[in-house]
Every structure is written in C-alpha cells, then in structure tokens.
Amino acid sequence: MKKTICYTVGLAFIVLAACKREEYWNQTTAVPHASISGALTNTDDNIPFKGVKILFERQTKANGEQTFVDTVATDEKGQFKYEVPYPNKVKVSVRDTGRYQLDEAFVEVKDQKDYPVALKSFPRFGMSKIKVTVADRDSKSPIEEVNVSLLVKESAAESYSLVETKSSNTGGTLEFEQIAFPVRYKIRVAEDALLYDLDSLEGRLLRKEPLELSLAVKKKFGKGDIKLQSMNYYLGTAVKNETVSVQYKSIRDSEFQTAEDYTLDEKGLLILKNVTYPGEVRISALKNAIYPFSTAEVSVAEENTTLAKSFTIFDLAPRATHRAPSAVSAENSVETLLDGYALLTMELDSKQNIWAVTTNNQLIKVTPEGQITVVAGIGGTSMPDGYDPTKEVGDGHSVHFNKLWGLGMVDDNTIYVTENDGIHLIKKITVDPQTGASKVSIFSGTAKKSGTTDGDISAALYNRPADIAYSKKENCLYVSEWTGARIRKIDLKTNNVTTLATGSGVGYAFGISLSTDEKSIYIAAHTNAAGIKRLDLSTNSLSNIKIADVPSPRHVVVTPDDRIFYTVNNVSSGQSLLTITNPATGASAVVAGSGSGSGVPVGTKVDANTNIFAMADPGVSGLIYDAFRGRLYVASPANNKLYFVRLKSLY
C-alpha cells in the first residue's frame, strides 16, 4: 500500500513538471532562456558540415517521449545555436538523416547559461560539388564580384536551408564543395534587385560527379567617368574656373559620400572619374563663390551600353542675397527697351529673352537687344465672327487668342497662357527650338464656362484665370484667378488640379510670383481686398504683407532676400508706380514713376523719379526682376513701352 502511494505521488510530480515545462515553453510572457550551441563535424577528418538541419525536441512525457520544437541549419563553420526556456530536457540530433548518419545528444537545461554539444556524422553516400558560372545575360561575358547563395533540402516538403554564399572570381566562376548527396539544391544570385536582374536555378544533386551550372544576370550599374556641363542660368553660357562642392551617391550607396571640392575647367566641365552609376550628384556653392547658387541634385543615368558617361547640365546663377537690392537710390535710372508693344505679363528665359503676352492677344519674344519675334497668335483685339476658342489650336501662327492675361514658362520651349474674361481657359504652347514653329493646345478648362471644379485637367473649371507660376521643385503650375479669387495647383506629373486658397483672403488675384526657395507664393490682389498676399505652401495659409500705401497692385516679384517689387495701377487715386517694400518692416518706396507721363523715348536714360507711366488703365503692368544684371523690367501697356530700371544700389 505504501509503495502504491509513493508511485502515485511520484508520477503526479513528473506529470506536473512536464506540464510546467509545457507552460514555460509556450507562454507569451518573458521567461529566462538558456542556449544550446554546438558544431556538426565529419567523424573522419573533423571537417564541418554546412547547411545541415539540426533537430531540437523536448521531453514531454515521463516515459521519455519527445515532441518536435524546431530545426536550425548549421552555418558555414558547421555551427548552430538555439535558445530554450528552462527547466527542460532537450534532444539535439541530425535531422538530415537521408544524407548523414544520425547522431544525437541529450541536454538537461537547468540554468541560464550555454550548454555546448558536439555532434559527429558522416555522409551516407558521399560528397560532391557544384561549379557555378555567372555571365552577362546579353553579352555572355563572365561577371566578377557577384554573390551567389546555395540552399539545400532533403525532400520537396521541406524548406530550404542556406549552406553558404560565395562571390564570383575574375572568370565569373565559384564552387560549392563538400555537398552530401542526394539532395535538392537551389542556387540564386544574392544581390539587391535594384542592382541586378536576378537569376536562380533548382534541381537535384544525385551523384558524386561535379555539377556545372550557369546563372545569367544583368547589371543595372556601371563604372566610368561622368561629365557634367555647367551653364549660367541667365546667359546660357558655360561657367569657367568656378570651384564647387560635390557629393556623390551611387545606386550602391545608402547615403551621399563626403563632400569634395572640384574646380570647373576652361570649358565649364565637371568630370567625376571612375564612379559607379546611376546615381545622384549634389552640387553646392562654396562660401564667397563668384556664382552662388542653390544646391542642385542631378540624376545620372547610363545613356547607352557602350559609354559609361552621362552628360547633364546643371545651372549656376548669381542668386545670392548680396546681389539683391538693399535700398532704393535716386541714382536708379530708366531706359526704354521696346516701343510700340503693350505687354501685360512677362517671363525671363535662360538666355535672358523676355517672353510676354500682349493686349493685342499675341505671345512675343524679345531678345536682350530688343529684337521681337511673334511666337503665337494672329493678333487683334476684336475676334472674328463666330469665334470659338476650342477651334483655335494647332499652328501657333494661325490661331486667335482672346483676353490673353497670364504667362508661365516651364522651360525655354514650353509656355502656358491664360485666356481670361469670358474664356476661362489655360492653353499650352510648345515651340520648336530649331524652326521657331509653335503649337497651341487647350491644356485645362472648358471654353466659356466658369466654375470651381477640381480634379483632372480635362474636367477642371476656372473663373477668369489670371497668371501662372511654374515650380521646378514640385513640377507643377500655380494659377491665380481674378473673379474666382483663388490659387490653384496643377500637378504636371498627375495632371490633377487642386485649390490651395480661396475667398476674401486671396482677393481678385492678378499677378503671382514664387519665392526663390519656392516655399511661398506672393499674390498681387488688384481689387477686392487689394494688396500683396503671401501663401505659405507648406500650410496653405494666407497672410497680408504690410505696405505703407493702399495700392491696387498688378504684378509682383520677389528677390532672393525677399524684397518685394510690385506695380501699382490705380488711376482713380493718381497712382501708376513701381514700388518696393521690405516685408520685415513694411517700409515702402517708389522705385519709378510719380504721376502721369508719356514715357521715355528709346535710347534715352532718365532718372527713375521721372513721370514715365501714363495715367490710364493699365498704366503699368508686367514685371520681371533680373538678378544677373541687377535690373527690373516693367511694362507700361498704356504707353506701349517696355522699360528697364537699373538699380544702382546693386553695384
């Protein structure tokens, strides 16, 4: 009777301990772990066996019965390690018994420490090897330094385990040795898919004779000299002998490399020797540079399969604050560049040509020397009978425009214009740089239909679109609306239109201008809450720029140091002026004009205080700030003249 009681109590204790181990093994709360580590080596020569699965089981019943836990594969040194909660009784054994002689060890895990084991085995049928050749998919030539992994499994139902990874030599070859057979294998290119078009093979290794396999890959990168051509943003000429700071990040780099200084040569070239491409070049100005410019990042890609070169233009232009106006001086002078044309809105291209829309419904180009080319538009203020703006597309020299107001340039050959009063359209004009021929198409809006619809450019509606500004940084157009009192954004990547701001805070928006960093839009609200407004593009919040007078501004430009120039066209109050404001203080000063004037004859220079703008509507309109020459271009449609104002304080 006493023996029976003792046996029953003992059995209950064993079962309770097993249950306790079950609880420890499976619970989700943190419990202390021990580790079991070891190595699997050949019985005969102690050579390690790589990529062999080691089975871990634990005792769950008093009779010693084991339950599967997990398998781990030996590494390239034949080693393995596994963590287990304790207390536990664990069995460690060779899992791949189809290829290797079984060996096993029993470990009683009692404490938080490492328990070493040593397993010995030998291949049951022998060893073989796999020779791999890595070649270019197109040229078939061998490729070196490509990593290839070997994985194996005993049966189709199992998962692969990694044996090892090796890199191809100069002949494009590599070998995996000491592989026990029979076994299912997989070889694969172990590289980033961003760098290579990958390849893999699967099969069975059944005999001792070596197996020869080939992988075909395509590199997505190369090495060579990258040549970049500098270009002055305004003149379109090379910038020579300027020193710049350069950082490079290839497709194989996670971040930009340390900056180095490079000096442009006599042709304005920057050459980076023997670099991996594709990649990104980050070019920054040094302090006190002659041609300071905003940091530019240039994408470099292979242009063909035979030349490891990329020819890319980056812009250098004097845009720093030391070139911006610091004061308005009585020494400022006015000269007439163009007579006989009434210009409304203007832009400056990379070669300092002025592009402008006229009150005669034409798009013209004016060279720095004053030569004029009509780019698009038959001209005329009165439209022909049955005028239909939707049909006025195609050859730019054969179309009519009506109510041309706004102008925005994406590049020297891509221009967007607005047709305003009663037309409500945005049109696109593309120019052939070789022949000068132009094409006109409807870009967005529905002819003679106003509205507030956002969305795709084909469905969007506008209410008297007035001006356009292009953002290179965002690759988008910003559009102001006169009657709609709105600022719209057109994403040129998606052709989607959104409204950024609207209402009395915007006012009757006429001209708009982007800040140098393209983080803000400045708005000239001509009537209805007239003034200069600033739209913060990060928050789409509006603010009023404090100005000394209460003008009716027509156009606005912003200098690199955030000085604001704007034209004032308020005939009823006797104002037809060009004004500058310091937004930090609200201090304003007249740059040019004072009362009604008949204009300045071509070739005549006068003091800026002279009455040069006619007191008529519009007495003064379009405005451009030229940072390179330190001058302002200002249009007086009522005088049919285009002036430039020299700002002496820049020199």
Side-chain angles (χ1 to χ4, degrees):
M1 180 68 177
K2 186 179 294 184
K3 287 183 178 180
T4 302
I5 293 173
C6 290
Y7 176 77
T8 302
V9 172
L11 181 60
F13 178 79
I14 292 172
V15 172
L16 180 62
C19 292
K20 189 65 175 176
R21 285 197 300 271
E22 179 78 22
E23 176 185 342
Y24 266 119
W25 199 281
N26 294 309
Q27 66 180 320
T28 57
T29 56
V31 296
H33 281 66
S35 60
I36 299 175
S37 62
L40 174 64
T41 56
N42 193 309
T43 304
D44 298 328
D45 53 18
N46 288 325
I47 292 177
F49 288 127
K50 300 169 285 187
V52 179
K53 288 185 177 178
I54 304 299
L55 174 64
F56 285 81
E57 301 171 282
R58 65 187 179 87
Q59 182 178 331
T60 53
K61 294 186 179 180
N63 62 3
E65 183 176 330
Q66 302 287 329
T67 299
F68 170 83
V69 175
D70 205 351
T71 60
V72 297
T74 59
D75 62 17
E76 293 184 4
K77 296 180 180 180
Q79 297 175 346
F80 58 87
K81 187 173 184 178
Y82 194 76
E83 291 191 350
V84 299
Y86 62 86
N88 266 295
K89 290 185 176 181
V90 182
K91 177 183 176 182
V92 185
S93 60
V94 176
R95 171 69 180 83
D96 295 340
T97 54
R99 294 184 294 149
Y100 295 94
Q101 178 66 29
L102 174 66
D103 190 18
E104 57 188 23
F106 294 88
V107 180
E108 186 170 1
V109 182
K110 297 180 178 180
D111 301 304
Q112 190 173 0
K113 66 178 184 179
D114 183 66
Y115 291 81
V117 296
L119 297 179
K120 294 284 188 178
S121 184
F122 58 86
R124 296 167 61 87
F125 301 99
M127 306 288 279
S128 183
K129 66 179 178 179
I130 297 177
K131 181 178 181 180
V132 181
T133 300
V134 183
D136 183 88
R137 185 174 298 169
D138 298 326
S139 66
K140 313 302 180 185
S141 58
I143 304 179
E144 63 177 316
E145 296 182 351
V146 175
N147 291 318
V148 177
S149 294
L150 170 67
L151 303 94
V152 297
K153 61 180 180 180
E154 282 201 76
S155 67
E158 294 182 358
S159 61
Y160 279 110
S161 59
L162 176 66
V163 177
E164 63 182 325
T165 299
K166 289 189 172 183
S167 182
S168 59
N169 59 24
T170 54
T173 63
L174 55 98
E175 290 186 357
F176 297 107
E177 301 177 301
Q178 299 295 314
I179 307 170
F181 65 87
V183 68
R184 297 174 184 270
Y185 69 83
K186 179 178 182 179
I187 57 169
R188 67 183 182 195
V189 176
E191 296 285 359
D192 192 331
L194 291 174
L195 303 177
Y196 294 87
D197 287 333
L198 307 181
D199 192 15
S200 64
L201 289 172
E202 295 184 70
R204 299 185 70 183
L205 182 62
L206 300 175
R207 53 184 62 88
K208 186 175 182 179
E209 289 75 23
L211 189 63
E212 296 189 4
L213 302 172
S214 297
L215 292 175
V217 300
K218 178 66 177 178
K219 288 200 300 184
K220 298 180 181 179
F221 63 93
K223 272 195 171 183
D225 297 344
I226 295 176
K227 186 191 317 184
L228 299 105
Q229 173 68 63
S230 70
M231 192 66 65
N232 184 284
Y233 181 83
Y234 294 98
L235 297 179
T237 57
V239 177
K240 305 174 183 179
N241 304 319
E242 174 78 4
T243 301
V244 295
S245 175
V246 179
Q247 291 177 279
Y248 188 71
K249 180 177 73 173
S250 77
I251 193 173
R252 307 190 77 172
D253 299 322
S254 59
E255 57 187 25
F256 278 96
Q257 299 167 8
T258 303
E260 296 185 42
D261 292 349
Y262 287 83
T263 301
L264 307 177
D265 66 16
E266 287 297 325
K267 296 181 180 179
L269 295 178
L270 168 64
I271 301 176
L272 305 180
K273 294 284 189 179
N274 196 34
V275 298
T276 301
Y277 61 87
E280 297 285 331
V281 183
R282 179 181 289 166
I283 309 167
S284 305
L286 301 181
K287 292 181 179 179
N288 304 318
I290 298 173
Y291 290 95
F293 59 97
S294 301
T295 298
E297 291 192 6
V298 179
S299 295
V300 176
E302 183 181 16
E303 293 196 335
N304 57 60
T305 56
T306 58
L307 291 176
K309 295 181 179 179
S310 176
F311 299 89
T312 307
I313 293 175
F314 62 93
D315 293 333
L316 293 171
R319 302 173 187 165
T321 56
H322 76 279
R323 295 286 296 181
S326 58
V328 176
S329 168
E331 298 178 354
N332 296 336
S333 62
V334 176
E335 295 182 43
T336 301
L337 177 65
L338 179 66
D339 195 359
Y341 284 82
L343 311 183
L344 283 175
T345 307
M346 305 181 296
E347 289 277 1
L348 199 67
D349 71 12
S350 64
K351 297 177 177 62
Q352 288 189 293
N353 297 306
I354 296 172
W355 297 68
V357 295
T358 73
T359 59
N360 197 41
N361 290 302
Q362 289 181 309
L363 172 66
I364 68 170
K365 180 172 75 171
V366 185
T367 68
E369 296 74 32
Q371 296 176 338
I372 305 161
T373 303
V374 176
V375 179
I378 293 175
T381 55
S382 299
M383 293 299 105
D385 292 339
Y387 171 74
D388 184 351
T390 63
K391 295 180 180 179
E392 301 296 334
V393 295
D395 177 18
H397 294 95
S398 302
V399 303
H400 290 89
F401 292 106
N402 193 11
K403 305 296 183 182
L404 269 186
W405 270 29
L407 167 68
M409 296 191 69
V410 171
D411 53 47
D412 291 1
N413 305 301
T414 309
I415 304 99
Y416 292 87
V417 295
T418 62
E419 288 185 288
N420 184 272
D421 191 10
I423 307 300
H424 312 297
L425 286 178
I426 299 173
K427 288 185 176 178
K428 180 179 180 180
I429 304 172
T430 55
V431 182
D432 187 320
Q434 304 300 323
T435 66
S438 61
K439 295 284 187 183
V440 177
S441 60
I442 294 176
F443 178 69
S444 187
T446 299
K448 300 183 179 181
K449 183 179 181 180
S450 65
T452 61
T453 304
D454 284 335
D456 188 80
I457 57 171
S458 61
L461 296 176
Y462 306 87
N463 194 346
R464 299 188 68 181
D467 198 11
I468 301 175
Y470 172 68
S471 168
K472 183 177 181 180
K473 181 179 178 182
E474 296 292 331
N475 191 24
C476 73
L477 302 175
Y478 296 106
V479 180
S480 62
E481 291 184 32
W482 175 267
T483 308
R486 289 185 297 175
I487 302 297
R488 314 286 287 279
K489 176 181 178 181
I490 305 176
D491 190 324
L492 294 180
K493 300 184 293 294
T494 63
N495 284 337
N496 187 61
V497 182
T498 54
T499 298
L500 303 185
T502 185
S504 59
V506 176
Y508 277 23
F510 198 106
I512 56 175
S513 178
L514 274 170
S515 60
T516 304
D517 59 12
E518 298 192 357
K519 294 181 180 180
S520 302
I521 296 176
Y522 288 82
I523 308 160
H526 184 60
T527 55
N528 189 19
I532 303 297
K533 318 297 177 75
R534 176 181 174 271
L535 176 63
D536 186 328
L537 293 174
S538 64
T539 61
N540 289 341
S541 58
L542 280 164
S543 58
N544 288 311
I545 301 299
K546 183 180 179 182
I547 52 182
D549 53 3
V550 184
S552 293
R554 178 80 66 162
H555 278 278
V556 59
V557 294
V558 188
T559 66
D561 69 344
D562 293 326
R563 301 299 177 97
I564 300 170
F565 287 95
Y566 55 93
T567 54
V568 177
N569 192 79
N570 192 336
V571 177
S572 61
S573 64
Q575 291 180 315
S576 194
L577 310 169
L578 172 60
T579 304
I580 182 174
T581 289
N582 182 342
T585 63
S588 299
V590 175
V591 176
S594 59
S596 181
S598 59
V600 180
V602 174
T604 304
K605 181 190 296 185
V606 299
D607 187 277
N609 292 327
T610 304
N611 298 336
I612 59 174
F613 304 124
M615 197 56 61
D617 190 13
V620 62
S621 183
L623 186 62
I624 304 172
Y625 174 62
D626 180 352
F628 179 74
R629 294 194 176 188
R631 63 168 60 166
L632 287 155
Y633 294 99
V634 56
S636 177
N639 292 129
N640 290 325
K641 287 182 172 59
L642 171 63
Y643 303 111
F644 63 85
V645 181
R646 294 183 185 273
L647 300 171
K648 295 296 185 182
S649 57
L650 290 178
Y651 295 97

